[in-house]
Amino acid sequence: MNNNANRTLELLRESGAMLEGHFLLSSGRHSDRYFQCARLLQYPDRAAEALKGVVSALREDMAAGRLAIDLVVGPAMGGIIVAYELGRQLGLPAIFTERDDSGAMTLRRGFEIQAGQRILIAEDVVTTGKSSEECAAVLEQLGGKVVALACVVDRRSDQRADRGFDQQAQGAAVRWPIYRACKVSVETWDAADCSLCKQQIPYVKPGSRKFNS
C-alpha cells in the first residue's frame, strides 16, 4: 500500500469514518464494517488530502493520453462531495445524479449531459459497483461516455493489484478503470447467508438507498 493510501486510512480513522457492527450495505449485502465517509468529507482539508493521490493518478494518465475527462459525476448522496472535490482539483465541472421518489437514479436540477461527453464517476465507497452502474446507465442513455471510476474506499474483494487503479480486477463488477484513494478488504455476506444474522445480531442500514420489501 502506498503512502497516499496509508494516509487516507489514517484520515478515515481520525474522522471516525470506519464503523464496526452489523450493517446492511447499499448493495444489499451484509458486513461487519461500514465506512461512513461523510465523517471524513465534512472536513474540506481532509477531503482534499484523501483524494490527492487519486487526482495525481488521474492527471498522470490524462497527461500520457491514456485518459480524457470532460465532467465528473457523483451519485447522491455519497458521491456528491467526492465529485466536487475531484472536479475542483482537476479544474473540471462536477454534478450529481440522485434518486427519485421511486428510488430510481436520475439526472435533475437542470444538469445536462452532452453527446460524447467523457465522464468520471465519483463515489465515496465501492463494494459491488451497483450504484456506479445505475449512475452510468443514466449518463449513457443521455449520450455520455463513462471512462473511469474514482473512489475514496475500494472495498471490493478478490483484487489482483495494489496500484492507484485496477482496470481488470478479478471478482469485481466494475467495467472501467478504477482510481482509489485506498483499498480495504472487508468480508461481506449475502443476506441469506450472513454470519451475523445467524447469531441474531440486529443490523442497521446507514446508507441512503431505498430497498423494496
Side-chain angles (χ1 to χ4, degrees), residues 11-48:
L11 290 168
L12 287 164
R13 293 190 184 99
E14 291 170 4
S15 305
M18 288 197 292
L19 309 177
E20 294 185 350
H22 183 189
F23 303 100
L24 172 61
L25 306 178
S26 294
S27 63
R29 295 179 66 82
H30 289 213
S31 178
D32 60 356
R33 280 206 282 178
Y34 183 79
F35 291 89
Q36 184 58 273
C37 285
R39 292 189 177 185
L40 165 65
L41 298 172
Q42 68 180 311
Y43 303 105
D45 56 337
R46 293 182 181 181

Side-chain angles (χ1 to χ4, degrees), residues 157-186:
S157 59
D158 299 323
Q159 300 282 336
R160 287 190 304 176
D162 187 21
R163 300 178 58 189
F165 72 92
D166 186 2
Q167 187 167 3
Q168 295 179 345
Q170 292 178 330
V174 175
R175 54 188 170 98
W176 316 281
I178 181 166
Y179 296 77
R180 58 182 182 256
C182 67
K183 168 72 178 72
V184 182
S185 296
V186 178

Side-chain angles (χ1 to χ4, degrees), residues 144-162:
K145 180 182 179 182
V146 177
V147 296
L149 171 63
C151 64
V152 177
V153 179
D154 179 0
R155 51 174 291 166
R156 297 173 300 160
S157 59
D158 299 323
Q159 300 282 336
R160 287 190 304 176
D162 187 21

Side-chain angles (χ1 to χ4, degrees), residues 122-209:
E123 295 262 30
D124 54 353
V125 180
V126 173
T127 303
T128 64
K130 185 175 181 180
S131 292
S132 302
E133 285 288 355
E134 289 178 298
C135 179
V138 173
L139 303 174
E140 291 168 348
Q141 186 176 18
L142 295 171
K145 180 182 179 182
V146 177
V147 296
L149 171 63
C151 64
V152 177
V153 179
D154 179 0
R155 51 174 291 166
R156 297 173 300 160
S157 59
D158 299 323
Q159 300 282 336
R160 287 190 304 176
D162 187 21
R163 300 178 58 189
F165 72 92
D166 186 2
Q167 187 167 3
Q168 295 179 345
Q170 292 178 330
V174 175
R175 54 188 170 98
W176 316 281
I178 181 166
Y179 296 77
R180 58 182 182 256
C182 67
K183 168 72 178 72
V184 182
S185 296
V186 178
E187 187 172 7
T188 65
W189 304 274
D190 288 328
D193 192 37
C194 174
S195 297
L196 300 177
C197 285
K198 292 176 181 178
Q199 299 174 48
Q200 298 184 334
I201 299 174
Y203 65 75
V204 295
K205 187 180 84 68
S208 60
R209 178 180 295 157

Side-chain angles (χ1 to χ4, degrees), residues 96-114:
F96 58 88
T97 59
E98 59 189 304
R99 299 187 185 280
D100 61 20
D101 292 339
S102 71
M105 194 71 77
T106 185
L107 190 69
R108 306 161 77 175
R109 304 177 191 271
F111 293 143
E112 296 181 349
I113 301 297
Q114 304 300 321

Side-chain angles (χ1 to χ4, degrees), residues 54-134:
V54 173
V55 171
S56 177
L58 288 167
R59 282 179 173 162
E60 179 179 343
D61 281 359
M62 292 167 73
R66 294 189 291 266
L67 181 69
I69 303 170
D70 302 310
L71 177 69
V72 186
V73 180
M77 289 288 294
I80 295 179
I81 296 177
V82 180
Y84 175 86
E85 180 57 31
L86 289 175
R88 187 189 70 80
Q89 293 193 40
L90 292 169
L92 295 170
I95 64 175
F96 58 88
T97 59
E98 59 189 304
R99 299 187 185 280
D100 61 20
D101 292 339
S102 71
M105 194 71 77
T106 185
L107 190 69
R108 306 161 77 175
R109 304 177 191 271
F111 293 143
E112 296 181 349
I113 301 297
Q114 304 300 321
Q117 203 165 25
R118 297 160 296 191
I119 300 169
L120 170 68
I121 292 180
E123 295 262 30
D124 54 353
V125 180
V126 173
T127 303
T128 64
K130 185 175 181 180
S131 292
S132 302
E133 285 288 355
E134 289 178 298

